[in-house]
Amino acid sequence: MSKITNILIAGVGGQGILLASEILSEIALRLGLDVKKSEVHGMAQRGGSVVSHVRIGEKVFSPLIAQGASDFLLSFEKMETLRWQGLIGPQTVSIINDTRIVPTNVNVGIDSYPEDLDAYFQQNMKKYFLVDASQLATEAGTIKATNVVLIGSLARLMHYDKQIWLDVIQEKVPPKTVAVNTKAFELGYNAVAQ
Amino acid sequence: MTQTTVEYAEKVLLSGNEAIAMAAVDAGVKLASGYPGTPSTEILENLAKYRAVYCEWAPNEKVALEVCIGASFAGARALSTMKHVGLNVAADPLFTAAYTGVRGGLVVICADDPGMHSSQNEQDNRHYGPAAKVLILEPSDSDEAYHFTRMAFDLSEEFDIPVIVRTTTRVNHGKGVVHRAAPLDLSGRHCSLEVNPQKYVMIPAFARARHVVLEETLNKLRLHAAESELNRTDMKNDRSVGVITSGASYQYVMEVIPENWSVLKLGMIHPLSDDVLSRFCSSVERVIVVEELDPYIETAVKALGFKCDGKNLFGLQGELNPDLVAKGFGIPSSSTTIPAKALPPRPPVLCPGCPHRGTFTVLKKLKTFVSGDIGCYTLGVNKPLDGIHACVCMGASLGMAHGMGHVLSGAEKKKVVAVIGDSTFLHTGINSLINMVYNKSTGTVFILDNRTTAMTGQQENPGYGTTLMGEATNNVDMVALCRAVGVEHVYKGNPFDTVKLHELAKREIERDELSVVIVEKECVLAFREIIEEPLTIDALKCIGCKACLKVGCPALVWDGAGKKVTVDITLCTGCDVCVPECPVDAFIVPEKKNRGEV
């Protein structure tokens, strides 16, 4: 079987994770590849953890990524980077939004938010990028474009033609926000080095 | 996805639910009715966008299926959609529809939820095949969801039987490439009435005859299953191991299976073909059955006298995945993962600005025992609200509260209240309210009316004011409805005004007669116009007592360093539920512009 590229996208409900996985899948289709993606809807949008599996290759069977087999991790929140650690291997290339979203149970003092995340990333991940996507999105024009900033960073690291990413994004976002999202994509693209 | 943007016989990327909707259009379906339930909801939502099929939300699954049976009897192809537990509600008409058979193709999409991503149990609805005596097909990805749904309509008409297409969450919500086929043109088919009481009126004398016909039909289907392309066998020269599987499990099997193992993939789940199973089992040395949840196929294999492995390797609970399947096969994992680190959970919570927060804040202060129901408000069970103490199924909260009230006495009896959402109340709660009136309950019912079916993504319901097709319509007057069934004490409350709601709730809980409190405020996700300017906190006044955090609002953030609470202004909707909780009046409340009084 030829190599399949596995992309795991993780974050918190409401951050635009589904749109990110949607864009990736559409790109795969345009490249003439087989693609499967899987995520769970329903309660997840109410501030819970959300994960999306995207698998791209010549022929894809399972919609779920196997243990340790993620090639890329696109993480929308710092702690959520590790929620699905069973799916992340040392070889996984990670893009991490440098943002904390504190769960309500932490806020009311039932749990605590891990404080040593940066050290943990450094110790256990071979290649990762911390991107201040919220800040870059604000620079582009709206904090709502945070997800497109992160997609921009992923585009830099995946070897698909940049123009295809831009074409698909411009089709998928609301027409009024094309300029802002294009800028957000570029800022994200330039935020990570090859 | 609209019809105009899709060219036929094209490759498209679709979720299983989108694929089923497209299949229904291409199969010439004329009517679709369902009740929203994750993971089935998006089927009707997508189908309604095509405008080619009449679509409606029904108040519950039983009604939805009955509507579809009617359309089928008049000659139209009809589609009913629901989640697994919804079929329990619709089971009554389903079992008898198997006896009557169909006229236009009748297909029920039933979406199971292994792993309980958003369900109260993980029942395996394949058992409805033998129980209700209907045909069941099971697709394994989006492409099959499309083609199996189309075939389901053809088989329904060919064999005169309702067909269930049984999906699971991974198939409904997973996306994959679909190869669309040319649509069927049924525009020449006219609906008409057919008078045939022996077929359509199931009095005992007619039903006895129909049962004979039904058993003959199932036998014919068994023969059909033996030849059907829905069941696929891939035999290898090396006959040491053969795997039998279906649905999403098939995809995991194919991901990890050694190249020399043979596979039987079943697409027709009921009736199973003894012939197909026997042929496969007798041609391999060892049989392994891979299926999620119950040993449905495994039991059939064993009943034929073959030894097999199955649940002893894969277990009875939850979803499978490639790792669990590989482990069950005894294939060692070659992957390494980064070391685990303990993290706090991130459970879903009531949204900032959710009207249910106010109700639970009040009920907690009144130290009630809350008999709850299925909907967003079930999230009130989480800390810090701890607001739900029992919850079983749609519509059960009123019945359970009534039962508790009858066996309890004194202060304990007084503590019990029922809470139920508007959509759930209209689904099956209303029947229990009639029962409470008839059987002289003295309980208190809180209808949390947020004007929509919020949990599944804000679908319309009979209290909403518009149909699924987007037309304005009547909406149920909850007060008049409760009065009409005989409740004397019916009152409205505003969940954002917790001070007044507290007084009202206290008075009605104390009352020795049945009362209904309709707590009414729109869902903040469905009706963005109720959002007000965010609150702020006067840091000089805040004493860091955390009293406001007890309402469990994600917009209130504890600043540990400063020992103060701050407001996340990107989340706060200005609902003010937290305001009366502050003992030192530290909240700064902007003037309200959008909110009318209840």
Side-chain angles (χ1 to χ4, degrees), chain A residues 77-116:
Chain A
E77 198 274 345
K78 241 176 162 171
M79 181 173 80
E80 292 306 311
T81 307
L82 300 175
R83 178 83 54 200
W84 321 91
Q85 46 208 317
L87 300 173
I88 311 165
Q91 83 293 343
T92 306
V93 177
S94 303
I95 297 157
I96 302 166
N97 187 10
D98 198 357
T99 298
R100 286 164 41 128
I101 300 176
V102 179
T104 304
N105 39 327
V106 167
N107 228 347
V108 298
I110 299 161
D111 290 308
S112 53
Y113 194 99
E115 293 301 330
D116 53 347

CSV table of all heavy atoms in Angstrom, one decimal, chain A residues 77-116:
chain,number,residue,atom,x,y,z
A,77,GLU,N,-5.3,24.6,20.4
A,77,GLU,CA,-5.2,25.0,21.8
A,77,GLU,C,-4.0,24.3,22.4
A,77,GLU,O,-3.9,23.1,22.2
A,77,GLU,CB,-6.5,24.8,22.5
A,77,GLU,CG,-6.7,25.5,23.8
A,77,GLU,CD,-6.2,24.9,25.0
A,77,GLU,OE1,-5.8,23.6,25.0
A,77,GLU,OE2,-6.0,25.5,26.1
A,78,LYS,N,-3.3,24.9,23.3
A,78,LYS,CA,-2.1,24.3,23.8
A,78,LYS,C,-2.3,23.0,24.5
A,78,LYS,O,-1.6,22.0,24.2
A,78,LYS,CB,-1.4,25.3,24.8
A,78,LYS,CG,-0.1,25.8,24.3
A,78,LYS,CD,0.5,26.8,25.3
A,78,LYS,CE,2.0,26.9,25.1
A,78,LYS,NZ,2.5,28.0,25.8
A,79,MET,N,-3.2,22.9,25.5
A,79,MET,CA,-3.4,21.7,26.2
A,79,MET,C,-4.0,20.6,25.3
A,79,MET,O,-3.7,19.4,25.5
A,79,MET,CB,-4.3,22.0,27.4
A,79,MET,CG,-4.6,20.7,28.3
A,79,MET,SD,-5.5,21.2,29.7
A,79,MET,CE,-7.1,21.3,29.1
A,80,GLU,N,-4.9,21.0,24.4
A,80,GLU,CA,-5.5,20.0,23.5
A,80,GLU,C,-4.5,19.3,22.6
A,80,GLU,O,-4.8,18.2,22.1
A,80,GLU,CB,-6.6,20.7,22.7
A,80,GLU,CG,-7.8,21.1,23.5
A,80,GLU,CD,-8.4,20.1,24.4
A,80,GLU,OE1,-8.7,18.9,23.9
A,80,GLU,OE2,-8.6,20.3,25.6
A,81,THR,N,-3.3,19.9,22.5
A,81,THR,CA,-2.2,19.3,21.7
A,81,THR,C,-2.0,17.8,22.2
A,81,THR,O,-1.7,16.9,21.5
A,81,THR,CB,-0.9,20.1,21.9
A,81,THR,OG1,-1.2,21.4,21.6
A,81,THR,CG2,0.2,19.5,21.1
A,82,LEU,N,-2.2,17.7,23.5
A,82,LEU,CA,-1.9,16.4,24.2
A,82,LEU,C,-3.1,15.5,24.5
A,82,LEU,O,-2.9,14.4,25.0
A,82,LEU,CB,-1.1,16.6,25.4
A,82,LEU,CG,0.2,17.4,25.2
A,82,LEU,CD1,0.9,17.7,26.5
A,82,LEU,CD2,1.2,16.6,24.3
A,83,ARG,N,-4.3,16.0,24.2
A,83,ARG,CA,-5.5,15.2,24.5
A,83,ARG,C,-5.4,13.8,23.8
A,83,ARG,O,-5.9,12.8,24.3
A,83,ARG,CB,-6.7,16.0,24.1
A,83,ARG,CG,-8.0,15.3,24.3
A,83,ARG,CD,-8.6,15.4,25.7
A,83,ARG,NE,-8.7,16.8,26.1
A,83,ARG,CZ,-8.7,17.1,27.4
A,83,ARG,NH1,-8.7,16.2,28.3
A,83,ARG,NH2,-8.8,18.4,27.7
A,84,TRP,N,-4.9,13.8,22.6
A,84,TRP,CA,-4.9,12.6,21.7
A,84,TRP,C,-3.5,12.1,21.6
A,84,TRP,O,-3.1,11.6,20.5
A,84,TRP,CB,-5.6,13.0,20.4
A,84,TRP,CG,-6.7,13.9,20.6
A,84,TRP,CD1,-6.7,15.3,20.5
A,84,TRP,CD2,-8.1,13.5,20.9
A,84,TRP,NE1,-7.9,15.8,20.8
A,84,TRP,CE2,-8.8,14.7,21.0
A,84,TRP,CE3,-8.7,12.3,21.1
A,84,TRP,CZ2,-10.2,14.8,21.3
A,84,TRP,CZ3,-10.1,12.3,21.4
A,84,TRP,CH2,-10.8,13.6,21.5
A,85,GLN,N,-2.7,12.2,22.7
A,85,GLN,CA,-1.3,11.8,22.5
A,85,GLN,C,-1.0,10.4,22.0
A,85,GLN,O,0.0,10.2,21.5
A,85,GLN,CB,-0.5,12.1,23.8
A,85,GLN,CG,-1.2,11.7,25.1
A,85,GLN,CD,-0.8,12.5,26.3
A,85,GLN,OE1,0.3,12.9,26.5
A,85,GLN,NE2,-1.8,12.8,27.1
A,86,GLY,N,-2.0,9.5,22.2
A,86,GLY,CA,-1.8,8.2,21.7
A,86,GLY,C,-1.7,8.1,20.2
A,86,GLY,O,-1.1,7.2,19.6
A,87,LEU,N,-2.2,9.2,19.5
A,87,LEU,CA,-2.1,9.2,18.1
A,87,LEU,C,-0.9,9.9,17.6
A,87,LEU,O,-0.7,10.0,16.4
A,87,LEU,CB,-3.4,9.9,17.5
A,87,LEU,CG,-4.7,9.2,17.9
A,87,LEU,CD1,-5.9,10.0,17.5
A,87,LEU,CD2,-4.8,7.8,17.3
A,88,ILE,N,-0.2,10.5,18.5
A,88,ILE,CA,1.0,11.3,18.1
A,88,ILE,C,2.3,10.5,18.4
A,88,ILE,O,2.4,10.0,19.4
A,88,ILE,CB,1.1,12.7,18.9
A,88,ILE,CG1,-0.3,13.4,18.8
A,88,ILE,CG2,2.1,13.6,18.3
A,88,ILE,CD1,-0.4,14.5,19.9
A,89,GLY,N,3.2,10.5,17.4
A,89,GLY,CA,4.4,9.8,17.6
A,89,GLY,C,5.6,10.8,17.6
A,89,GLY,O,5.3,12.0,17.4
A,90,PRO,N,6.8,10.4,17.9
A,90,PRO,CA,7.9,11.3,18.0
A,90,PRO,C,8.1,12.0,16.6
A,90,PRO,O,8.7,13.1,16.6
A,90,PRO,CB,9.1,10.4,18.4
A,90,PRO,CG,8.5,9.1,18.8
A,90,PRO,CD,7.2,9.0,18.3
A,91,GLN,N,7.8,11.3,15.5
A,91,GLN,CA,8.0,11.8,14.2
A,91,GLN,C,7.0,12.9,13.8
A,91,GLN,O,7.1,13.6,12.8
A,91,GLN,CB,8.0,10.7,13.2
A,91,GLN,CG,6.7,10.2,12.7
A,91,GLN,CD,5.8,9.5,13.7
A,91,GLN,OE1,6.3,9.1,14.8
A,91,GLN,NE2,4.5,9.5,13.5
A,92,THR,N,5.9,13.0,14.5
A,92,THR,CA,4.8,13.9,14.1
A,92,THR,C,5.3,15.3,14.1
A,92,THR,O,5.9,15.8,15.0
A,92,THR,CB,3.6,13.8,15.1
A,92,THR,OG1,3.2,12.4,15.2
A,92,THR,CG2,2.4,14.6,14.7
A,93,VAL,N,5.0,16.0,13.0
A,93,VAL,CA,5.3,17.5,12.9
A,93,VAL,C,4.1,18.2,13.5
A,93,VAL,O,3.0,18.1,12.9
A,93,VAL,CB,5.6,17.9,11.5
A,93,VAL,CG1,5.9,19.4,11.4
A,93,VAL,CG2,6.8,17.1,11.0
A,94,SER,N,4.3,19.0,14.5
A,94,SER,CA,3.1,19.7,15.1
A,94,SER,C,3.2,21.2,15.0
A,94,SER,O,4.2,21.8,15.1
A,94,SER,CB,3.1,19.4,16.6
A,94,SER,OG,3.1,18.0,16.9
A,95,ILE,N,2.0,21.7,14.7
A,95,ILE,CA,1.8,23.2,14.7
A,95,ILE,C,0.8,23.5,15.9
A,95,ILE,O,-0.3,23.0,15.9
A,95,ILE,CB,1.2,23.7,13.4
A,95,ILE,CG1,2.2,23.4,12.3
A,95,ILE,CG2,0.9,25.2,13.4
A,95,ILE,CD1,1.5,23.3,10.9
A,96,ILE,N,1.3,24.3,16.8
A,96,ILE,CA,0.5,24.5,18.0
A,96,ILE,C,0.1,26.0,18.2
A,96,ILE,O,1.0,26.8,18.2
A,96,ILE,CB,1.3,24.0,19.3
A,96,ILE,CG1,1.7,22.5,19.1
A,96,ILE,CG2,0.5,24.2,20.5
A,96,ILE,CD1,2.8,22.1,20.0
A,97,ASN,N,-1.1,26.2,18.3
A,97,ASN,CA,-1.6,27.6,18.6
A,97,ASN,C,-1.2,27.9,20.0
A,97,ASN,O,-1.5,27.2,21.0
A,97,ASN,CB,-3.1,27.6,18.4
A,97,ASN,CG,-3.7,29.1,18.5
A,97,ASN,OD1,-2.9,30.0,18.5
A,97,ASN,ND2,-5.0,29.2,18.6
A,98,ASP,N,-0.4,29.0,20.1
A,98,ASP,CA,0.1,29.4,21.4
A,98,ASP,C,-1.0,30.1,22.3
A,98,ASP,O,-0.8,31.3,22.7
A,98,ASP,CB,1.3,30.3,21.2
A,98,ASP,CG,2.2,30.4,22.5
A,98,ASP,OD1,1.8,29.7,23.5
A,98,ASP,OD2,3.3,31.0,22.4
A,99,THR,N,-2.1,29.4,22.5
A,99,THR,CA,-3.2,30.0,23.3
A,99,THR,C,-3.7,29.0,24.3
A,99,THR,O,-3.8,27.8,24.0
A,99,THR,CB,-4.4,30.3,22.3
A,99,THR,OG1,-3.9,31.2,21.3
A,99,THR,CG2,-5.6,30.8,22.9
A,100,ARG,N,-4.1,29.5,25.4
A,100,ARG,CA,-4.7,28.7,26.5
A,100,ARG,C,-6.2,29.0,26.5
A,100,ARG,O,-6.6,30.2,26.6
A,100,ARG,CB,-4.1,29.0,27.9
A,100,ARG,CG,-2.8,28.5,28.1
A,100,ARG,CD,-2.1,29.2,29.3
A,100,ARG,NE,-3.1,29.4,30.4
A,100,ARG,CZ,-2.8,29.0,31.7
A,100,ARG,NH1,-1.7,28.4,32.0
A,100,ARG,NH2,-3.7,29.2,32.6
A,101,ILE,N,-7.0,28.0,26.4
A,101,ILE,CA,-8.5,28.1,26.7
A,101,ILE,C,-8.7,27.3,27.9
A,101,ILE,O,-8.6,26.1,27.9
A,101,ILE,CB,-9.3,27.7,25.5
A,101,ILE,CG1,-9.0,28.5,24.3
A,101,ILE,CG2,-10.8,27.8,25.9
A,101,ILE,CD1,-9.7,28.1,23.0
A,102,VAL,N,-9.1,28.0,29.0
A,102,VAL,CA,-9.2,27.3,30.3
A,102,VAL,C,-10.6,26.6,30.4
A,102,VAL,O,-11.6,27.3,30.3
A,102,VAL,CB,-9.0,28.3,31.5
A,102,VAL,CG1,-9.1,27.6,32.8
A,102,VAL,CG2,-7.6,28.9,31.3
A,103,PRO,N,-10.6,25.3,30.6
A,103,PRO,CA,-12.0,24.7,30.8
A,103,PRO,C,-12.7,25.2,32.0
A,103,PRO,O,-12.0,25.6,33.0
A,103,PRO,CB,-11.6,23.2,30.9
A,103,PRO,CG,-10.2,23.0,30.7
A,103,PRO,CD,-9.5,24.4,30.8
A,104,THR,N,-14.0,25.1,32.0
A,104,THR,CA,-14.8,25.6,33.1
A,104,THR,C,-14.5,24.9,34.4
A,104,THR,O,-14.4,25.5,35.5
A,104,THR,CB,-16.3,25.5,32.8
A,104,THR,OG1,-16.6,26.2,31.6
A,104,THR,CG2,-17.2,26.1,33.9
A,105,ASN,N,-14.2,23.6,34.3
A,105,ASN,CA,-13.9,22.8,35.5
A,105,ASN,C,-12.6,23.3,36.2
A,105,ASN,O,-12.4,23.2,37.4
A,105,ASN,CB,-13.9,21.3,35.3
A,105,ASN,CG,-13.2,20.9,33.9
A,105,ASN,OD1,-13.4,21.7,33.0
A,105,ASN,ND2,-12.6,19.8,33.9
A,106,VAL,N,-11.7,23.8,35.4
A,106,VAL,CA,-10.4,24.4,35.9
A,106,VAL,C,-10.8,25.8,36.6
A,106,VAL,O,-10.3,26.1,37.7
A,106,VAL,CB,-9.4,24.6,34.8
A,106,VAL,CG1,-8.2,25.5,35.3
A,106,VAL,CG2,-8.9,23.3,34.3
A,107,ASN,N,-11.6,26.5,35.9
A,107,ASN,CA,-12.0,27.8,36.4
A,107,ASN,C,-12.6,27.8,37.7
A,107,ASN,O,-12.5,28.7,38.5
A,107,ASN,CB,-13.0,28.4,35.4
A,107,ASN,CG,-12.6,29.8,35.0
A,107,ASN,OD1,-11.8,30.4,35.6
A,107,ASN,ND2,-13.3,30.3,34.0
A,108,VAL,N,-13.4,26.8,38.0
A,108,VAL,CA,-14.1,26.7,39.3
A,108,VAL,C,-13.3,25.9,40.3
A,108,VAL,O,-13.8,25.7,41.4
A,108,VAL,CB,-15.6,26.1,39.2
A,108,VAL,CG1,-16.4,27.0,38.3
A,108,VAL,CG2,-15.6,24.7,38.6
A,109,GLY,N,-12.1,25.6,40.0
A,109,GLY,CA,-11.2,25.0,41.0
A,109,GLY,C,-11.3,23.5,41.1
A,109,GLY,O,-10.7,23.0,42.1
A,110,ILE,N,-11.9,22.8,40.2
A,110,ILE,CA,-12.0,21.3,40.4
A,110,ILE,C,-10.7,20.7,39.8
A,110,ILE,O,-10.2,19.7,40.3
A,110,ILE,CB,-13.2,20.8,39.6
A,110,ILE,CG1,-14.5,21.4,40.2
A,110,ILE,CG2,-13.3,19.3,39.7
A,110,ILE,CD1,-15.7,21.3,39.3
A,111,ASP,N,-10.2,21.3,38.7
A,111,ASP,CA,-9.0,20.8,38.1
A,111,ASP,C,-8.0,21.9,37.9
A,111,ASP,O,-8.3,23.0,38.1
A,111,ASP,CB,-9.3,20.2,36.7
A,111,ASP,CG,-10.2,18.9,36.7
A,111,ASP,OD1,-9.7,18.0,37.4
A,111,ASP,OD2,-11.2,18.9,36.1
A,112,SER,N,-6.8,21.5,37.5
A,112,SER,CA,-5.8,22.6,37.2
A,112,SER,C,-5.2,22.4,35.8
A,112,SER,O,-5.1,21.3,35.3
A,112,SER,CB,-4.7,22.7,38.3
A,112,SER,OG,-4.1,21.4,38.4
A,113,TYR,N,-4.9,23.5,35.2
A,113,TYR,CA,-4.3,23.6,33.9
A,113,TYR,C,-2.8,23.3,34.0
A,113,TYR,O,-2.2,23.9,34.8
A,113,TYR,CB,-4.6,24.9,33.2
A,113,TYR,CG,-4.4,25.0,31.8
A,113,TYR,CD1,-5.5,24.9,30.9
A,113,TYR,CD2,-3.1,25.2,31.2
A,113,TYR,CE1,-5.3,25.0,29.5
A,113,TYR,CE2,-2.9,25.3,29.8
A,113,TYR,CZ,-4.0,25.2,29.0
A,113,TYR,OH,-3.8,25.2,27.6
A,114,PRO,N,-2.3,22.4,33.1
A,114,PRO,CA,-0.9,22.1,33.2
A,114,PRO,C,0.0,23.3,32.9
A,114,PRO,O,-0.3,24.0,32.0
A,114,PRO,CB,-0.7,20.9,32.2
A,114,PRO,CG,-1.9,21.0,31.3
A,114,PRO,CD,-3.0,21.6,32.1
A,115,GLU,N,1.0,23.5,33.8
A,115,GLU,CA,1.8,24.7,33.6
A,115,GLU,C,3.1,24.5,32.8
A,115,GLU,O,3.7,25.4,32.4
A,115,GLU,CB,2.2,25.2,35.0
A,115,GLU,CG,1.0,25.7,35.8
A,115,GLU,CD,0.3,26.9,35.1
A,115,GLU,OE1,0.9,27.7,34.4
A,115,GLU,OE2,-1.0,27.0,35.3
A,116,ASP,N,3.5,23.2,32.7
A,116,ASP,CA,4.8,22.9,32.1
A,116,ASP,C,4.7,22.4,30.7
A,116,ASP,O,5.5,21.6,30.3
A,116,ASP,CB,5.5,21.9,33.0
A,116,ASP,CG,4.6,20.6,33.2
A,116,ASP,OD1,3.4,20.7,32.8
A,116,ASP,OD2,5.1,19.6,33.6
